[in-house]
């Protein structure tokens, strides 16, 4: 993987695949560039695809204290590498980061997001506040494994599957990234959709959800699409909170191929 310094000097590890209009994939919670690799390979025949380890994850560096602005600067550094503009696809909390970056003025041509985990409504905000409190209590007590279990259970992973994951080789990697769950928690604020801030997101935006995802997640994506000036919503039949790359790639290819300018690596 290549590395590039972000504005604060933090080194961000990234990988390039393919040629064509640039598309940057922004991973969700506990994800890395390797997580997005299957989707990147499917998009690479049509696009110049960039995957990266968000700060604190994988081969990227980190710095304290965390701020959403630093992650926006990380993404801005990658946009600069591919020529100054790009299209972006974000999954989960990565989708929220992509939206925040565009609202902050990042030059994004086309934007697509899959189920950013906002929790609008009184019950949703109360649930988010409870999860935030539990997460910070676990991390402050150095219970990194407990923080990962909390995240997995909140996202709908059954207890027996979590138990199997704890015995699998991947578990140590998830625990190593547990502190970044607090980053994504901060990124989502109180859980509400920041409609006033997102009113400035004028890029054409595709908001995706899975047809088999939980009802609150699907409702949230519809509310998000309504809050964005140039967004449309699309449901991917049969998909869940973790969509199959084979289901996402054709949709993104169709969307990003529309009037996306060809740019080369500088």
């Amino acid at each position: 993987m290549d590395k590039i310094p972000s504005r604060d000097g933090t080194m961000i590890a990234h990988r390039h695949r393919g040629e064509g209009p640039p598309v940057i994939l922004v991973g969700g919670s506990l994800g890395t560039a390797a997580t997005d690799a299957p989707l990147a390979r499917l998009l690479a025949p049509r696009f110049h695809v960039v995957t990266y380890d968000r700060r604190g994850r994988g081969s990227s560096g980190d710095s304290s204290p965390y701020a959403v602005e630093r992650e926006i600067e990380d993404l801005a550094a990658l946009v600069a590498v591919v020529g100054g503009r790009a299209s972006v696809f974000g999954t989960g909390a990565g989708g929220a980061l992509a939206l925040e970056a565009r609202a902050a003025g990042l030059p994004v041509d086309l934007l697509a997001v899959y189920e950013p985990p906002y929790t609008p409504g009184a019950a949703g905000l109360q649930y988010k506040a409870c999860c935030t409190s539990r997460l910070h209590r676990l991390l402050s007590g150095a219970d990194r494994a407990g923080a990962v279990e909390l995240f997995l259970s909140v996202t709908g992973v059954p207890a027996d599957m979590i138990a199997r994951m704890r015995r699998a080789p991947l578990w140590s990697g998830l625990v190593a990234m547990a502190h970044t769950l607090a980053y994504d928690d901060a990124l989502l604020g109180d859980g509400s959709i920041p409609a006033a801030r997102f009113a400035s997101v004028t890029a054409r935006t595709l908001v995706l959800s899975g047809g088999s995802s939980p009802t609150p997640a699907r409702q949230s994506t519809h509310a998000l699409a309504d809050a964005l000036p140039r967004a449309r919503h699309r449901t991917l039949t049969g998909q869940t909170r973790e969509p199959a790359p084979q289901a996402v790639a054709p949709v993104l290819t169709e969307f990003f191929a529309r009037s996306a300018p060809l740019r080369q690596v500088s």
Side-chain angles (χ1 to χ4, degrees):
M1 296 180 73
D2 298 324
K3 290 189 177 182
I4 186 173
S6 188
R7 184 175 181 180
D8 69 347
T10 300
M11 300 303 292
I12 303 300
H14 60 287
R15 187 182 300 278
H16 299 258
R17 290 179 176 86
E19 296 181 356
V23 173
I24 300 175
L25 305 186
V26 185
S29 299
L30 301 181
T32 65
T35 309
D36 286 331
L39 177 59
R41 284 192 287 268
L42 293 173
L43 295 174
R46 292 286 302 275
F47 305 99
H48 171 192
V49 187
V50 179
T51 55
Y52 75 107
D53 293 339
R54 290 171 56 196
R55 62 172 53 212
R57 301 159 172 84
S59 298
S60 286
D62 203 357
S63 63
S64 297
Y66 174 79
V68 173
E69 291 77 11
R70 302 294 82 76
E71 284 223 71
I72 294 174
E73 291 167 357
D74 300 344
L75 189 51
L78 295 173
V79 170
V81 165
V82 297
R85 300 192 69 89
S87 295
V88 175
F89 172 60
T91 305
L97 173 56
L99 287 163
E100 292 288 353
R102 185 61 181 83
L106 193 71
V108 172
D109 293 318
L110 299 168
L111 176 61
V113 297
Y114 189 92
E115 295 191 10
Y118 295 108
T119 50
L125 299 187
Q126 183 177 13
Y127 181 68
K128 170 66 165 61
C130 177
C131 290
T132 296
S133 177
R134 290 176 60 193
L135 175 64
H136 285 278
R137 187 165 59 249
L138 289 166
L139 290 175
S140 64
D143 187 358
R144 299 172 67 88
V148 173
E149 286 194 20
L150 172 64
F151 167 74
L152 294 174
S153 62
V154 165
T155 54
V157 179
D160 60 337
M161 184 176 293
I162 295 175
R164 291 196 297 273
M165 291 174 69
R166 286 186 66 101
R167 298 190 294 271
L170 62 82
W171 186 253
S172 60
L174 297 179
V175 170
M177 294 186 288
H179 62 289
T180 65
L181 293 171
Y183 299 176
D184 287 346
D185 184 75
L187 179 63
L188 294 165
D190 64 0
S192 62
I193 296 170
R197 189 159 64 251
F198 286 175
S200 65
V201 178
T202 55
R204 285 199 295 135
T205 306
L206 179 63
V207 181
L208 299 171
S209 64
S212 297
S213 291
T215 298
R218 289 185 282 112
Q219 292 174 335
S220 176
T221 57
H222 281 283
L224 174 61
D226 289 341
L228 295 166
R230 301 182 64 198
R232 64 184 179 92
H233 181 275
R234 180 166 175 175
T235 299
L236 301 186
T237 304
Q239 299 304 303
T240 62
R241 296 297 292 269
E242 297 290 337
Q246 294 83 355
V248 177
V251 177
L252 294 182
T253 297
E254 177 187 10
F255 180 65
F256 286 143
R258 296 177 179 176
S259 68
L262 177 63
R263 302 183 191 279
Q264 301 295 333
V265 178
S266 58

